[in-house]
Amino acid sequence: MDAMTGWWDDYFWASITVAEVFVCSLFFMVIFGLLGASAKLSSNAVARSLANTYTVFFRGTPEILVVLLMYFGSAVTLTAIAQLFDSSIRFVDIPPFWAGTIAIALVVGSYATETFRGAFSGVNPGSIEAARALGMSNTQTLFYVRIPEMWRLALPPFGNHMLSLIKDTALISIIGLNEMLFVAKQATSTTGKPFTMYIVVGVIYLGFSTIITLATMLLERFANRHVRRAP
Amino acid sequence: MNNTNDPIIRLIEVSKRYGKFEALKEIDLDVRKGERIVVCGPSGSGKSTLIRCINRMEEHTSGQIIINGHELTDKTKDIDAVRSEIGMVFQSFNLFPHMTILKNLTIAQRLVRKTPKAEARDTAMHYLGRVKIPEQANKYPIQLSGGQQQRVAIARALCMKPQIMLFDEPTSALDPEMISEVLDVMVDLASDGMTMLCVTHEMGFARSVADRVIFMDHGQLIEQAEPETFFNHPQHERTALFLRQILRH
Ligand SMILES: Nc1ncnc2c1ncn2[C@@H]1O[C@H](COP(=O)(O)OP(=O)(O)O)[C@@H](O)[C@H]1O
Ligand SMILES: [Mg+2]
């Protein structure tokens, strides 16, 4: 562990980056998942086929490729647009942080789409009718009845989606984000101790996943509070 | 705008089709304010469809439905406003499982009526008292018995101060010993002058409370009469047969 001297603060900042990517991608993953599920359940055929294309593509493509395509695809597009205005511009990209965050959110969001779709179908139609009969609008019914009831059913698989997200943050090193694998690689080339450098990464990731697993358990207990009978 | 003698619910030749199947066939029905009507008939005769068309949970395919002077059409801009004037009680209670009893009673007041929090709470507690379970306010629906849940469902509808209450077999899903506690609440409501349309096979309730009993069969309104006439001198053979079947027990 002597080899670690001088590297701890790099690992610390890298794990902060990982946490940031996780939180941002979690936010977008939920949005993509809810949009995808709404589209799949909608009566609009165009929306349904768009959502199907989305899930087929992102569930059927290696995630590392999605990260690369997102980064280079957006860079090529942005560069082309920028050159329309100023032909001396050579290269424009979106920050690897955002390209990577959106990429993994899209991938995991495609799985979340299926989770949310199933969970929405599991909501008691009687609850929805009751809300409508009380005069609540479609939107109010969605946010106050359907999503809260769906949530309980979606939580167990959703915990797995969060674990996927945290692990996928490791992929973003490939487009140059200064996260833990990136640091480990640099540290290895300076110290020549790859095992030490990578096992530290492993332990930190394990810490993150443990936190997520515990958080999911607590959320499940909270979401099921009304399912338990009187004490 | 509308005369007090005008019916609060008016159905003119209302039909409803599901695909090719005719669930309602040219129903004509007027309900005056404060009237208490019991609807009965065999399973599948269109009773639920009839009352679900009245608050537009189902859209009728032809004819006119006029509630309080407002016709229900595709263009009815604020169907949510119309619905909030019509309380509905379902066979399977349909309380919101993730909300406490109190929240079940305040949520629509807050969202639809924009009632201030304290006032919504007071209204909720008032109606919970009326259905005799104020002590259950902070429980979740699953912690209550079926009869208690159905009384909460009635209170939830009443919190919107509706002008009309629709009941769709409110006691059919209940254990026998819980039926009377729900019927008591409905009788209380009827004596209060509420306009009520109840689908039920509780003939004791129909006899003592209804101003009119309606018999439906195969999507048609076969017969309607005061309870006395309805039970003792049914005009149609189908009505007589139905009454013999349900009163035999
Ligand atoms: N959503 C629906 N789609 C197709 N048929 C339906 C639908 N709802 C009801 N029906 C049919 O309409 C008829 C009347 O149903 P309903 O009004 O529920 O009868 P009741 O309440 O008198 O038992 C039944 O034959 C039923 O199968
Ligand atoms: Mg029915």
Side-chain angles (χ1 to χ4, degrees):
Chain A
M1 277 290 147
D2 288 346
M4 288 299 296
T5 317
W7 289 100
W8 286 115
D9 60 334
D10 295 274
Y11 276 95
F12 174 76
W13 291 113
S15 49
I16 295 292
T17 304
V18 166
E20 284 171 353
V21 171
F22 174 75
V23 170
C24 296
S25 61
L26 178 62
F27 174 79
F28 285 107
M29 181 263 269
V30 172
I31 305 270
F32 294 149
L34 287 177
L35 284 177
S38 316
K40 283 209 172 188
L41 292 167
S42 103
S43 52
N44 184 322
V46 178
R48 278 202 311 272
S49 56
L50 273 177
N52 281 330
T53 313
Y54 166 59
T55 50
V56 167
F57 180 81
F58 284 98
R59 294 202 302 172
T61 313
E63 299 173 48
I64 195 157
L65 195 63
V66 175
V67 173
L68 287 170
L69 286 174
M70 176 63 70
Y71 178 66
F72 289 112
S74 60
V76 167
T77 315
L78 282 179
T79 306
I81 293 172
Q83 281 174 344
L84 286 180
F85 297 97
D86 181 354
S87 52
S88 66
I89 291 175
R90 304 295 295 277
F91 186 75
V92 185
D93 65 353
I94 53 175
F97 179 94
W98 287 109
T101 297
I102 298 292
I104 64 177
L106 279 169
V107 171
V108 183
S110 68
Y111 291 91
T113 293
E114 298 299 346
T115 299
F116 289 153
R117 188 193 56 75
F120 270 123
S121 315
V123 173
N124 172 18
S127 297
I128 300 168
E129 285 213 316
R132 305 292 284 132
L134 285 162
M136 287 165 63
S137 69
N138 261 326
T139 318
Q140 289 170 338
T141 305
L142 179 67
F143 283 104
Y144 291 90
V145 177
R146 295 180 63 196
I147 291 181
E149 281 194 44
M150 168 286 271
W151 194 239
R152 182 173 62 85
L153 304 172
L155 255 180
F158 188 78
N160 291 335
H161 298 331
M162 290 201 287
L163 289 176
S164 302
L165 269 189
I166 195 75
K167 288 188 282 185
D168 286 358
T169 56
L171 299 174
I172 305 179
S173 64
I174 198 173
I175 50 175
L177 184 68
N178 204 345
E179 51 74 83
M180 282 188 288
L181 277 187
F182 197 83
V183 169
K185 203 166 152 197
Q186 289 178 320
T188 302
S189 62
T190 326
T191 61
K193 293 248 167 56
F195 185 75
T196 315
M197 291 307 164
Y198 284 110
I199 197 77
V200 171
V201 177
V203 169
I204 296 175
Y205 268 111
L206 214 57
F208 277 124
S209 359
T210 309
I211 295 170
I212 291 171
T213 308
L214 289 175
T216 310
M217 272 168 56
L218 287 177
L219 281 174
E220 277 185 55
R221 270 181 52 185
F222 176 73
N224 284 299
R225 69 201 180 285
H226 59 275
V227 179
R228 289 193 299 273
R229 279 203 151 263
Chain B
M1 154 185 54
N2 53 319
N3 196 298
T4 43
N5 292 324
D6 283 348
I8 189 164
I9 304 173
R10 164 163 277 184
L11 275 67
I12 305 169
E13 294 187 6
V14 171
S15 297
K16 165 71 186 172
R17 276 196 312 275
Y18 292 109
K20 284 218 160 62
F21 178 78
E22 269 201 301
L24 293 179
K25 296 174 192 159
E26 307 206 330
I27 305 277
D28 286 301
L29 178 69
D30 279 357
V31 181
R32 290 186 309 279
K33 199 164 170 40
E35 230 186 334
R36 292 148 302 197
I37 294 187
V38 162
V39 182
C40 61
S43 172
S45 57
K47 308 178 296 294
S48 297
T49 308
L50 176 73
I51 67 166
R52 291 166 57 83
C53 281
I54 290 174
N55 65 352
R56 213 169 169 75
M57 300 299 286
E58 301 286 350
E59 293 175 18
H60 55 290
T61 13
S62 64
Q64 286 179 289
I65 300 181
I66 299 155
I67 307 293
N68 231 346
H70 300 283
E71 182 173 357
L72 303 184
T73 62
D74 288 345
K75 296 186 195 72
T76 307
K77 274 209 219 73
D78 210 349
I79 189 62
D80 294 332
V82 175
R83 283 194 182 131
S84 69
E85 298 295 328
I86 305 178
M88 185 164 203
V89 177
F90 305 85
Q91 181 174 343
S92 47
F93 329 136
N94 294 348
L95 296 179
F96 306 126
H98 59 289
M99 298 180 195
T100 61
I101 300 306
L102 188 62
K103 192 84 201 282
N104 263 278
L105 269 62
T106 53
I107 182 86
Q109 299 185 66
R110 304 274 292 128
L111 294 177
V112 181
R113 294 262 190 266
K114 315 285 180 213
T115 313
K117 200 167 182 170
E119 192 186 328
R121 193 180 174 284
D122 290 347
T123 306
M125 289 313 295
H126 167 78
Y127 285 108
L128 269 188
R130 221 175 132 179
V131 301
K132 304 192 177 60
I133 33 178
E135 72 284 359
Q136 311 285 4
N138 294 315
K139 291 195 180 165
Y140 285 101
I142 198 169
Q143 298 169 325
L144 271 54
S145 72
Q148 290 174 325
Q149 288 191 46
Q150 192 61 299
R151 286 186 278 155
V152 171
I154 295 173
R156 177 175 67 177
L158 292 175
C159 280
M160 300 299 282
K161 311 243 167 69
Q163 306 197 29
I164 301 167
M165 284 287 286
L166 307 173
F167 294 84
D168 192 356
E169 305 206 31
T171 57
S172 301
L174 294 177
D175 293 335
E177 75 273 15
M178 293 173 186
I179 291 178
S180 64
E181 65 190 56
V182 170
L183 290 179
D184 286 347
V185 169
M186 292 169 64
V187 171
D188 177 49
L189 199 56
S191 63
D192 217 36
M194 175 65 77
T195 309
M196 293 166 69
L197 210 65
C198 316
V199 175
T200 180
H201 290 154
E202 293 296 331
M203 290 302 144
F205 174 81
R207 273 182 201 275
S208 59
V209 170
D211 297 303
R212 216 179 340 152
V213 184
I214 290 178
F215 175 69
M216 290 184 65
D217 197 12
H218 292 109
Q220 283 171 307
L221 201 162
I222 303 289
E223 174 158 3
Q224 48 177 318
E226 288 173 12
E228 170 67 18
T229 323
F230 183 86
F231 289 110
N232 299 334
H233 311 287
Q235 299 294 304
H236 292 260
E237 183 47 37
R238 275 196 268 175
T239 316
L241 181 67
F242 175 75
L243 286 176
R244 278 201 299 280
Q245 280 167 348
I246 63 165
L247 294 178
R248 187 160 47 206
H249 310 291

